[in-house]
Amino acid sequence: MGWGAILSQQGVGNHLLKVVPVVVTKKSLPPVAAKKIRRTKETMQRTVTMQKSPPTIKRQEQTHTLTYISELLADRPEEARREALKYRAAAFWDDIVRLFKGVKVGVLKCGRCGEEDLGWFNPFTLRWIAIEDICHNCRVSVTRERQEAIAGRWKAALSGRIDKVLRSCGVPRRYLTADISSVNREVVDIVRGVLPHLNPGHDFQQGTDPPTRQGHGGLYIFGQPGSGKTYLAAAIVKAYILMLGPYFRDCYSEAPIPPRYPVFTIASDMLLEIRNTFNNPDISEGDIHDKYCNSPLVVVDDFMAEKVTQWSVKTMYSIINRRYLNNMPLIIISNYGLGDVEKNFNAVSEFIGTSIVSRISEMGKVLILKKGSLPPRRHTTVNNATIAVANPKDKSGSAFEARGVVPLSQDTPDYRNKKNQEEDS
């Protein structure tokens, strides 16, 4: 079929062209024109075929290659790997990588639990590589065991240099030999009940979490001079240090980090240290405050022995209040009961004494050391001293017998047996 044109001439001198569509059959075309039309159609068909066939053929080749490699991988993995590496630059290389990654050949099991697969897949060589001999959970367990062994050796070394550590904490040289086991049994029982509350824990030692303990996180020890208050406080500090242990940054680390040690100070020395910062540009008053407010444990000896001034009362209140708000343990040693503390502090600064006594009472126990209330013991370094637990709300500090309370020393089986033997004899 084709189109032809007929030229017709109408009128003299007037030439007009008129195009008339005419259906032309193959028989009506000349042989040469029919041949040209046929060749043009064949050329167009070849062009369309060439434009559509390459992607189709390419996908077919990719599918065939992946199928062939997959069949080889099931029977002959090394030959399949060599064949696959030939297509490293091909567009379907990611499909090959996923194919080999899904087949774990020769991957080692955990040498400890034998459950979890170990290894890392190398996408360049198409191989699984065993990089560890045990799994993550087993490695953490092994590391924890090593950490416990390291902590044990660290504590053993600490016991050998305890005197040096005590001196660095500020414990007087006279009381370096203080030991909690050398005091009366009643004292030991009470102190051992308080010691766990004095330790803020490893999270606080690492600086990651404040202590959450509430109540019984401190002691207020008072009594007559010579009753062994400072000795007892030094013994508590020593027991506290021996209770500490190193911590580690994470579950993989085996490098011990030493804990933070307590601070032992005398009230007058602490106030003098703060006062010396007033004219010292190298250190600020806030640095000294942070030292006594942020230490894991602070022991203040001779509380209220210094001259009571408005500045000293406000400074003591600042330190006690910050430790109270942050649940930080505090041990205070004084010759005066809480009633005397409240009275003397309120005399120079109204209501601050009441606030200090209230916080001390809520922070822990109030212990009264009295001379001559206990029969002496051979092993007792605090000679002729007894200890009793007072009601924190009671600020008088008067004798127990006057209030009808039996001292703890007279309520033990050993004391009762000895008393009965004396009466029988």
Side-chain angles (χ1 to χ4, degrees):
M1 307 293 290
W3 289 91
I6 300 177
L7 299 178
S8 62
Q9 185 176 3
Q10 299 178 358
V12 179
N14 184 14
H15 301 281
L16 297 175
L17 291 176
K18 186 177 181 181
V19 180
V20 180
V22 178
V23 178
V24 182
T25 61
K26 291 183 179 181
K27 295 181 180 180
S28 61
L29 288 175
V32 177
K35 188 176 181 180
K36 288 182 178 181
I37 293 174
R38 187 173 60 254
R39 288 179 178 177
T40 302
K41 288 183 177 181
E42 292 176 355
T43 303
M44 293 176 64
Q45 290 177 356
R46 285 196 301 268
T47 302
V48 172
T49 303
M50 291 178 63
Q51 291 177 352
K52 293 183 179 180
S53 61
T56 304
I57 296 174
K58 189 175 182 180
R59 285 194 295 270
Q60 292 177 354
E61 291 178 353
Q62 292 178 4
T63 304
H64 175 72
T65 303
L66 290 173
T67 304
Y68 174 66
I69 293 175
S70 177
E71 293 175 354
L72 281 179
L73 186 60
D75 300 329
R76 302 186 295 275
E78 289 299 327
E79 184 178 348
R81 185 174 294 105
R82 289 193 298 269
E83 182 68 23
L85 291 176
K86 298 178 182 178
Y87 300 94
R88 184 177 295 177
F92 59 98
W93 172 253
D94 292 339
D95 298 330
I96 296 177
V97 171
R98 284 191 291 268
L99 178 64
F100 276 81
K101 189 176 182 179
V103 180
K104 296 182 179 181
V105 180
V107 180
L108 298 178
K109 296 289 185 179
C110 175
R112 200 164 186 263
C113 65
E115 294 181 359
E116 186 174 343
D117 290 331
L118 305 175
W120 173 75
F121 183 76
N122 189 342
F124 300 101
T125 61
L126 302 178
R127 293 180 183 273
W128 280 94
I129 302 174
I131 58 176
E132 293 184 348
D133 53 347
I134 59 177
C135 63
H136 168 75
N137 294 334
C138 293
R139 183 165 298 280
V140 171
S141 177
V142 170
T143 305
R144 290 189 185 278
E145 294 176 359
R146 293 176 180 173
Q147 289 177 352
E148 292 177 358
I150 293 173
R153 293 192 296 269
W154 188 91
K155 288 186 176 183
L158 176 64
S159 301
R161 55 185 179 89
I162 186 63
D163 291 349
K164 184 177 180 180
V165 175
L166 289 173
R167 287 296 298 148
S168 66
C169 295
V171 176
R173 191 180 301 274
R174 181 183 182 88
Y175 299 102
L176 293 180
T177 57
D179 192 87
I180 199 67
S181 61
S182 63
V183 299
N184 289 324
R185 184 178 304 172
E186 296 84 357
V187 179
V188 175
D189 294 339
I190 295 173
V191 171
R192 285 178 178 172
V194 174
L195 274 176
H197 299 281
L198 299 179
N199 190 358
H202 288 293
D203 291 337
F204 170 76
Q205 290 284 357
Q206 300 178 42
T208 58
D209 189 25
T212 57
R213 165 205 351 94
Q214 297 204 6
H216 304 293
L219 290 170
Y220 184 83
I221 307 173
F222 74 97
Q224 300 176 4
S227 58
K229 301 183 298 297
T230 305
Y231 180 94
L232 176 61
I236 293 174
V237 171
K238 186 175 184 179
Y240 173 88
I241 293 175
L242 294 176
M243 186 174 59
L244 297 177
Y247 66 93
F248 302 86
R249 294 193 181 277
D250 49 44
C251 59
Y252 304 103
S253 175
E254 297 182 10
I257 301 176
R260 298 165 58 188
Y261 294 117
V263 175
F264 191 105
T265 185
I266 300 175
S268 57
D269 294 343
M270 179 179 66
L271 295 176
L272 179 62
E273 186 178 3
I274 296 175
R275 192 180 292 112
N276 289 337
T277 62
F278 294 163
N279 298 322
N280 188 353
D282 297 332
I283 188 170
S284 65
E285 182 181 357
D287 295 335
I288 306 301
H289 267 278
D290 293 339
K291 170 185 174 181
Y292 293 106
C293 294
N294 298 331
S295 296
L297 173 64
V298 173
V299 179
V300 181
D301 194 8
D302 286 338
F303 182 69
M304 218 180 74
E306 75 286 349
K307 182 179 179 181
V308 179
T309 63
Q310 189 174 11
W311 175 82
S312 65
V313 170
K314 289 184 177 180
T315 302
M316 294 300 301
Y317 172 76
S318 175
I319 296 174
I320 294 174
N321 185 59
R322 281 185 58 180
R323 296 191 69 85
Y324 166 78
L325 295 176
N326 295 325
N327 288 328
M328 304 289 289
L330 176 65
I331 297 178
I332 298 178
I333 307 166
S334 179
N335 295 329
Y336 302 92
L338 292 180
D340 296 331
V341 173
E342 180 179 10
K343 179 180 178 181
N344 292 335
F345 282 7
N346 282 339
V348 297
S349 184
E350 190 175 5
F351 300 121
I352 287 188
T354 304
S355 300
I356 289 177
V357 170
S358 175
R359 280 153 176 73
I360 292 175
S361 301
E362 294 182 21
M363 288 175 67
K365 294 184 178 181
V366 178
L367 306 181
I368 305 174
L369 282 178
K370 297 159 53 179
K371 294 183 64 175
S373 298
L374 269 185
R377 298 188 180 208
R378 297 178 182 176
H379 66 278
T380 301
T381 306
V382 187
N383 294 323
N384 300 332
T386 183
I387 190 168
V389 181
N391 183 359
K393 303 300 181 181
D394 186 1
K395 306 165 187 176
S396 63
S398 58
F400 276 85
E401 292 77 10
R403 300 196 306 272
V405 179
V406 179
L408 294 179
S409 59
Q410 299 180 14
D411 193 29
T412 59
D414 293 341
Y415 182 84
R416 289 195 297 268
N417 293 337
K418 185 176 181 180
K419 193 70 175 176
N420 294 334
Q421 293 176 1
E422 293 177 354
E423 291 177 356
D424 294 339
S425 60

